[in-house]
Amino acid sequence: MPPPAVLVVGSVAFDSIETPFGARREVVGGAATYFSLAASYFARVSVVAAVGEDFGPSQMAVLRRRDIDVRGLAVLPGPTFRWSGRYSYDLNSRETLDTRLGVLERFDPKIPEEARESAFLFLGNIDPDLQRSVLSQVRGPRLVGCDTMNFWIEGKLESLKKTLAGVDLLVINDSEARELAKEPNLVKAAGIIRALGPKILIVKRGEFGAAAFGAASPFAVPALLLDEVVDPTGAGDSFAGGLVGYLASQCGDGAIDDNLMRRAIAMGSVMASFTVQSFGVEGLLDLSRQQIDERYAQFLALSRLEGG
Amino acid sequence: MPPPAVLVVGSVAFDSIETPFGARREVVGGAATYFSLAASYFARVSVVAAVGEDFGPSQMAVLRRRDIDVRGLAVLPGPTFRWSGRYSYDLNSRETLDTRLGVLERFDPKIPEEARESAFLFLGNIDPDLQRSVLSQVRGPRLVGCDTMNFWIEGKLESLKKTLAGVDLLVINDSEARELAKEPNLVKAAGIIRALGPKILIVKRGEFGAAAFGAASPFAVPALLLDEVVDPTGAGDSFAGGLVGYLASQCGDGAIDDNLMRRAIAMGSVMASFTVQSFGVEGLLDLSRQQIDERYAQFLALSRLEGG
């Protein structure tokens, strides 16, 4: 069996979510889950994460259903990481009600032998020390993607910078990019961040889309305009999963050129759009290739613009 | 002489602006000024507004320099409308320090005879009663555009709805669209607003670009990514001026189709980008056609996306 194409390391969790449109309690969530499910439509995916003994067969089935390789899921004594949050009436802000790290406190990622040759590695939003431990276990991936958050930018900046030196593609939020660079102008912030290592910076802007800064000219896309959004949880992780999964499926042995990167960002946006239209991961479980292609065509139509 | 192609009614003001990058005191501003200057690169423009006796030849020269027809500028006894404000460190929010209506309190727009046949009318952000008074004075314009703000949405909603019944194109901010429709979802809000009259709703999203809802499929564009932004004042008004001016220059006697509307929105974004790179109206005074075309090409490159 060839090694899995995409390897993601991150959190698998139980989420409890309240939005103005409903609520879900203790459903399978976590950044690595959203990432894996979105990427699974394009590539073989392996996930490395820690779960507790309360993560049973019915939870595991969520990942298995999409044929995700779960041999790297370490089952540790204690409870699985739990997050609960509540969204505002317009879904544009959320309040974290509770966070219980559980087994995440002892997470020390071990990459299974068969996943160490993965061509595409994504370092989810975990301690930058652990991100580097993962980097040291893999053998020459073609592309290393990375996420992080304000918690690590504020608390472990020096370690994060060491990690970024080994990263090709950083995928973070708008406010995180400005905070990491200590620079409010996004274009200038991108220059500062790219000098730390990542050749490509992709900035997630929520309902406003995404921007990308790389070797070629900057790129920006709006997000799909949806008349039904019920739960934004996991949108950014689904974006990253769709993006990296699509890259893995399309780039063959060649380089990632500007056009491919743009299409991958569009596909990330498509996968995020499915996520926000249902609660939790529900929108990512049963998509057909046709649904994805139709949504991609809708995305092209949304932003199509011809010369003057 | 043929009637001017674009007629705008709105505010002409003295602005005092503080941003982290500098300050200007008592410079010529106001929504109708930004609109007129931006539109003047594409069409003949007439402006109807009230100014005070303190609005002298050097202020008038700002408009005359771009050949804007100022015969509709009523000089009333008393001071010109004054606004002063201060922007936050990242330019994303601003505090109004002072507003003095001055002659605006007695503004009763009179459209000069020669401007009553203008093909394109833009009703700037003034009392909706006055907007309707202007509408009653013009003779069958091909397109009526309109702006408004939360002040009128909250204080004069019934009058505003009467105005909107006679409007083709409404150009407002994201938060204003949601407030006007009493609906947090933008797509649903657009449907509600379009049912009030405007066939086309264009939603301004600041540094995140714009979205448009019309007969055809929705359209969204990012804003240009600029490495130097010094003063956002007037960006939205310049956007509307570039948009309407371009429409006037391009649509001939034909209908405004979806492609033309998209290019006009791009041109609005281009004109807004010049505005924010300098203080006040300074960025709109001396542009060449080549600069505008180059920026437009940059805009196409920014959002160019081909099929998968």
Side-chain angles (χ1 to χ4, degrees), chain B residues 87-231:
Chain B
Y87 289 84
S88 64
Y89 82 103
D90 63 358
L91 301 175
N92 276 332
S93 63
R94 75 178 184 194
E95 180 191 1
T96 290
L97 299 174
D98 197 17
T99 303
R100 297 184 186 203
L101 287 178
V103 298
L104 262 200
E105 285 189 271
R106 297 188 308 282
F107 183 38
D108 181 18
K110 299 281 175 244
I111 311 303
E113 182 53 35
E114 61 276 11
R116 294 186 180 211
E117 314 236 350
S118 300
F120 289 76
L121 169 64
F122 194 77
L123 304 168
N125 167 27
I126 56 175
D127 186 323
D129 293 345
L130 298 184
Q131 290 178 321
R132 277 202 310 294
S133 152
V134 171
L135 262 179
S136 72
Q137 296 176 56
V138 295
R139 303 192 189 100
R142 188 184 308 163
L143 183 121
V144 178
C146 182
D147 187 8
T148 191
M149 69 185 295
N150 51 355
F151 184 75
W152 308 117
I153 294 169
E154 288 154 22
K156 280 210 160 184
L157 185 59
E158 288 315 307
S159 173
L160 178 59
K161 283 182 178 173
K162 282 185 205 162
T163 297
L164 292 178
V167 163
D168 301 302
L169 175 72
L170 180 65
V171 187
I172 54 179
N173 292 332
D174 199 292
S175 61
E176 291 162 352
R178 296 172 206 248
E179 184 174 357
L180 175 57
K182 297 187 175 62
E183 164 59 55
N185 179 285
L186 190 61
V187 179
K188 286 183 184 158
I192 293 166
I193 290 168
R194 291 179 60 222
L196 297 174
K199 288 182 281 294
I200 300 169
L201 169 69
I202 297 180
V203 177
K204 296 178 285 184
R205 307 170 116 183
E207 67 165 327
F208 299 117
F213 302 87
S217 63
F219 175 54
V221 285
L224 280 149
L225 296 164
L226 304 168
D227 62 3
E228 200 70 52
V229 176
V230 303
D231 175 15

Side-chain angles (χ1 to χ4, degrees), chain A:
Chain A
M1 193 178 71
V6 175
L7 169 65
V8 56
V9 183
S11 60
V12 170
F14 282 109
D15 286 349
S16 294
I17 303 160
E18 288 174 46
T19 90
F21 306 102
R24 293 290 185 280
R25 284 200 57 73
E26 304 257 315
V27 292
V28 178
T33 304
Y34 285 98
F35 182 101
S36 298
L37 291 171
S40 73
Y41 288 91
F42 307 99
R44 277 190 52 79
V45 180
S46 279
V47 59
V48 169
V51 294
E53 286 157 335
D54 51 2
F55 199 86
S58 70
Q59 281 83 30
M60 210 64 96
V62 170
L63 294 163
R64 287 226 169 92
R65 179 167 175 164
R66 290 291 319 149
D67 263 336
I68 292 160
D69 183 342
V70 293
R71 286 174 291 178
L73 219 54
V75 182
L76 306 181
T80 299
F81 171 49
R82 275 166 170 75
W83 174 82
S84 66
R86 184 189 293 142
Y87 288 86
S88 64
Y89 82 104
D90 64 356
L91 302 175
N92 276 332
S93 62
R94 76 177 184 195
E95 180 192 359
T96 290
L97 299 174
D98 197 18
T99 303
R100 297 182 186 205
L101 287 178
V103 298
L104 263 200
E105 285 188 272
R106 297 190 310 282
F107 183 40
D108 181 17
K110 299 281 175 244
I111 311 303
E113 181 56 35
E114 62 274 11
R116 295 186 179 211
E117 314 235 349
S118 301
F120 289 77
L121 169 63
F122 194 77
L123 304 168
N125 168 26
I126 56 174
D127 186 325
D129 293 345
L130 298 184
Q131 290 178 320
R132 279 203 308 295
S133 153
V134 170
L135 262 179
S136 72
Q137 296 176 56
V138 295
R139 301 188 192 105
R142 189 184 306 164
L143 182 120
V144 178
C146 181
D147 187 7
T148 190
M149 70 184 295
N150 51 354
F151 184 75
W152 307 118
I153 294 169
E154 288 155 21
K156 280 210 159 182
L157 185 59
E158 288 316 306
S159 173
L160 177 59
K161 283 183 177 174
K162 282 185 205 161
T163 297
L164 291 178
V167 163
D168 301 302
L169 175 72
L170 180 65
V171 187
I172 54 179
N173 292 331
D174 198 291
S175 61
E176 290 162 352
R178 297 173 207 247
E179 185 173 358
L180 174 57
K182 296 186 175 62
E183 165 59 55
N185 179 285
L186 190 61
V187 178
K188 286 183 185 159
I192 293 165
I193 290 168
R194 291 179 60 221
L196 297 174
K199 287 182 282 294
I200 300 169
L201 169 68
I202 296 180
V203 177
K204 297 179 284 185
R205 306 169 116 185
E207 68 165 328
F208 299 117
F213 301 88
S217 63
F219 176 53
V221 285
L224 279 150
L225 296 164
L226 303 168
D227 61 4
E228 201 70 53
V229 176
V230 302
D231 175 16
T233 309
D237 304 311
S238 308
F239 171 85
L243 169 81
V244 173
Y246 185 82
L247 282 178
S249 73
Q250 297 290 311
C251 85
D253 289 332
I256 296 168
D257 69 12
D258 189 47
N259 280 328
L260 174 57
M261 183 55 69
R262 287 174 177 231
R263 292 201 307 273
I265 289 167
M267 197 56 94
S269 306
V270 162
M271 299 312 290
S273 77
F274 287 119
T275 297
V276 301
Q277 289 187 307
S278 302
F279 276 92
V281 299
E282 291 164 21
L284 290 176
L285 298 180
D286 283 308
L287 295 169
S288 68
R289 186 70 219 185
Q290 193 190 341
Q291 281 176 294
I292 293 172
D293 289 346
E294 280 172 9
R295 187 64 64 93
Y296 188 91
Q298 217 177 309
F299 192 87
L300 288 181
L302 173 75
S303 52
R304 181 186 49 79
L305 183 61
E306 280 133 32

Side-chain angles (χ1 to χ4, degrees), chain B residues 7-22:
Chain B
L7 169 64
V8 56
V9 183
S11 59
V12 170
F14 283 109
D15 287 347
S16 294
I17 303 160
E18 289 175 47
T19 89
F21 307 101

